[in-house]
């Protein structure tokens, strides 16, 4: 049997301590990775909070401008209606009043189908559905509204179309 020399014992002890130090070192590296990962998550959370603050500020700021736009549009609509005109072409935009098309809505499908003619329905194999444009045509031709159908008259609608303003006037 071979005796372990004093030097061999010292070497084994040194290697064992070195291995423990190496494991401790790598464990500290792992801890540092965890700390940096948490730091990154904190930065993103803070950025999200800042973005929300900026978005809230922008919404608040723009809400006031939007209210002003709605007020000014009401004034423009009132003016064009007082002038009894449908279109008014101005240097910065066009004011228009247009009647939206009438709409029909089938409220009671069974009642409608009992009284509908072939112009008022579309037959697709395995299904039958109302033909809304056909129903509108029948109403316009006959002047009567089929049972189970509601006529929703188109309302006049005001619109404002802004013209593009060129920046060529800057010198």
């Amino acid at each position: 049997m071979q005796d372990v020399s004093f030097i061999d014992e010292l070497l084994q002890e040194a290697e064992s301590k070195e291995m423990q130090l190496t494991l401790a070192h790598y464990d500290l590296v792992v801890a540092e990775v965890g700390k940096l990962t948490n730091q990154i998550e904190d930065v993103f959370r803070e950025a999200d909070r800042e973005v929300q603050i900026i978005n809230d500020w922008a919404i608040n700021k723009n809400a006031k401008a939007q209210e002003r736009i709605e007020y000014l549009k009401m004034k423009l609509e009132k003016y064009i209606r007082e002038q009894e005109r449908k279109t008014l072409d101005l240097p910065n935009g066009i004011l228009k009043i247009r009647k939206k098309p009438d709409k029909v809505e089938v409220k009671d499908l069974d009642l409608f189908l009992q009284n509908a003619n072939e112009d008022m329905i579309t037959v697709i194999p395995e299904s039958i559905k109302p033909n809304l444009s056909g129903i509108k045509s029948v109403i316009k031709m006959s002047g009567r509204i089929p049972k189970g159908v509601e006529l929703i008259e188109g309302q006049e609608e005001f619109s404002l179309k802004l013209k593009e303003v060129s920046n060529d006037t800057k010198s």
Side-chain angles (χ1 to χ4, degrees):
M1 195 155 138
Q2 208 174 9
D3 287 332
V4 178
S5 73
F6 178 69
I7 292 180
D8 289 336
E9 282 181 26
L10 285 176
L11 281 173
Q12 283 179 343
E13 191 178 315
E15 286 175 0
S16 173
K17 287 183 180 178
E18 184 179 329
M19 184 60 129
Q20 289 174 349
L21 286 175
T22 301
L23 288 175
H25 169 75
Y26 287 113
D27 187 51
L28 287 174
V29 170
V30 169
E32 182 69 13
V33 167
K35 180 180 166 188
L36 291 170
T37 301
N38 289 338
Q39 184 180 0
I40 289 169
E41 291 170 356
D42 289 344
V43 167
F44 279 120
R45 274 193 294 275
E46 182 63 27
D48 288 342
R49 283 192 295 267
E50 293 295 326
V51 166
Q52 188 59 47
I53 289 169
I54 291 169
N55 285 338
D56 291 345
W57 171 83
I59 288 169
N60 186 34
K61 199 83 162 148
N62 289 336
K64 292 174 186 170
Q66 189 61 43
E67 287 173 8
R68 180 78 175 144
I69 288 170
E70 293 305 318
Y71 171 75
L72 294 172
K73 278 182 160 182
M74 282 185 352
K75 287 182 79 165
L76 292 169
E77 181 178 0
K78 182 180 176 190
Y79 176 74
I80 192 171
R81 287 185 187 278
E82 286 172 355
Q83 298 298 310
E84 296 180 358
R85 297 185 57 185
K86 294 289 183 184
T87 303
L88 184 57
D89 192 351
L90 299 170
N92 288 303
I94 302 171
L95 308 180
K96 290 183 182 181
I97 297 210
R98 295 288 180 260
K99 184 177 185 291
K100 294 170 88 177
D102 296 341
K103 288 194 230 177
V104 291
E105 184 176 323
V106 176
K107 292 288 192 177
D108 185 343
L109 184 60
D110 293 332
L111 180 61
F112 166 72
L113 289 175
Q114 290 172 6
N115 299 289
N117 65 35
E118 62 188 38
D119 293 333
M120 292 189 279
I121 60 173
T122 302
V123 178
I124 300 172
E126 303 295 323
S127 73
I128 295 177
K129 68 177 194 171
N131 177 346
L132 299 181
S133 59
I135 296 169
K136 282 198 289 187
S137 296
V138 168
I139 292 171
K140 287 191 189 295
M141 299 293 254
S142 69
R144 69 170 191 82
I145 299 172
K147 292 180 182 175
V149 172
E150 179 183 351
L151 175 65
I152 303 165
E153 287 193 39
Q155 301 294 316
E156 283 189 346
E157 184 177 85
F158 172 76
S159 69
L160 167 63
K161 181 179 179 191
L162 298 174
K163 293 182 180 176
E164 290 292 322
V165 179
S166 72
N167 293 333
D168 294 342
T169 58
K170 293 182 182 177
S171 295

